[in-house]
Amino acid sequence: MHDLKNKRILVTGASRGIGQAIAIDLAKHGAKVAVLATRLANLEQTCAAIAAAGGESLPLEGDISQASTAQDSVKAVVDAWGGIDGLVANAGITKDNLLLRMTEEQFDQVIDVNLKGTFHFLKAVTKPMMKQRAGSIVFIGSVVAAIGNPGQANYCAAKAGLHGMARSAAIELGGRGITVNVVSPGFIATDMTSELPEAAQDAMKQKIALGRPGSGQDIAGAVRFLQSPDGSYITGQVMLVDGGLSLG
Ligand code: NAP
């Protein structure tokens, strides 16, 4: 089921949280997984877990807001494994503040990492995937792109941008057999959400129809489906994996 044998997949932000769960899950299902974080040292735990599961990883470091990180990373994967079948653009940050206090720097940082960083990786995988006439690209969006969230105008703008970028890319690249989709998590228990004030965490949790925060594994299952042959006729879509949070 969902056999990813021989798939070569690059996951950004794979040192912790959702990206780590995705990378380990893909490897457990047979993929070779290139994992990226800001520092190689941060990836030790992920690579050890992949090795323990009998998988193969390729650790990569860099700041995704720099175009050179994407170009160098994709080149490293193609050099090592002869091609690239999948991208999971997961790395992201928050710089929350209410609008009146949000600085231009906070706005730019979040756009540069979450939106522009994903664009750099989308662009970098396009050429090798077009040559192969196959590929699966998944952006990690967010439920708040659709419903908004106080203190996150920068983050919501970046994530909503990903949704539009995925739809456009899906139309452009579909003729070459490349799919582009967004998996949009709801409230997932990671370092990112543990930084939120307790009251904000409680307010989000209360809206979850399934009555519990999600885990990285909840997101990994949806990503794996889109990276597998079973998801190959789905493109330009936003898949909400939010336990019903967005239902109100
Ligand atoms: P997290 O625990 O804070 O992990 C973030 C990951 O991104 C880390 O691996 C980090 O690497 C990497 N990263 C951050 N900035 C980077 C940069 N400039 N260059 C390269 N790598 C960078 O976050 P998370 O909760 O797992 O979130 C993962 C994704 O899901 C994000 O895009 C987030 O917006 C999205 N999301 C999360 C939730 C949630 O509830 N947690 C909900 C919706 C969407 P280092 O370890 O090297 O810093």
Side-chain angles (χ1 to χ4, degrees):
M1 182 182 149
H2 299 320
D3 191 5
L4 299 175
K5 203 156 180 54
N6 299 324
K7 296 268 184 206
R8 300 149 298 188
I9 304 174
L10 169 58
V11 181
T12 67
S15 55
R16 309 182 259 129
I18 294 171
Q20 183 180 55
I22 292 170
I24 295 169
D25 179 86
L26 293 173
K28 279 184 178 165
H29 286 81
K32 293 178 182 172
V33 187
V35 290
L36 182 128
T38 57
R39 295 175 59 234
L40 280 181
N42 299 357
L43 290 160
E44 278 170 15
Q45 206 189 24
T46 306
C47 293
I50 289 175
E56 188 176 340
S57 65
L58 177 68
L60 302 164
E61 77 173 358
D63 175 355
I64 64 158
S65 67
Q66 304 301 311
S68 58
T69 299
Q71 289 153 8
D72 295 349
S73 301
V74 172
K75 184 175 181 310
V77 176
V78 173
D79 287 350
W81 293 333
I84 182 161
D85 305 295
L87 167 69
V88 183
N90 161 82
I93 57 167
T94 50
K95 296 281 170 195
D96 296 355
N97 221 338
L98 293 173
L99 269 174
L100 278 176
R101 288 193 221 122
M102 184 173 287
T103 63
E104 190 175 343
E105 196 188 2
Q106 287 173 323
F107 188 85
D108 286 347
Q109 280 177 338
V110 169
I111 297 292
D112 283 352
V113 174
N114 296 8
L115 182 57
K116 213 166 158 191
T118 302
F119 164 73
H120 292 321
F121 275 83
L122 168 65
K123 204 172 160 194
V125 295
T126 293
K127 210 171 178 186
M129 285 184 178
M130 282 177 87
K131 249 195 220 167
Q132 293 167 193
R133 304 190 76 86
S136 169
I137 298 169
V138 175
F139 302 157
I140 302 301
S142 174
V143 65
V144 297
I147 63 175
N149 204 23
Q152 292 198 315
N154 49 0
Y155 183 81
C156 294
K159 293 297 187 183
L162 291 184
H163 295 183
M165 188 161 74
R167 292 189 183 105
S168 301
I171 298 167
E172 277 192 43
L173 304 178
R176 298 294 185 112
I178 302 166
T179 61
V180 189
N181 292 289
V182 183
V183 168
S184 275
F187 185 91
I188 312 298
T190 67
D191 292 349
M192 184 178 277
T193 43
S194 70
E195 281 170 15
L196 290 169
E198 217 159 292
Q201 290 191 39
D202 288 345
M204 295 283 264
K205 284 179 195 167
Q206 272 166 20
K207 290 188 194 161
I208 304 171
L210 289 178
R212 64 165 177 91
S215 67
Q217 190 56 43
D218 289 323
I219 306 306
V223 171
R224 184 192 339 128
F225 171 68
L226 290 170
Q227 289 289 340
S228 78
D230 289 345
S232 63
Y233 200 59
I234 300 170
T235 197
Q237 302 305 307
V238 176
M239 187 191 285
L240 279 173
V241 185
D242 70 348
L245 189 157
S246 56
L247 299 175

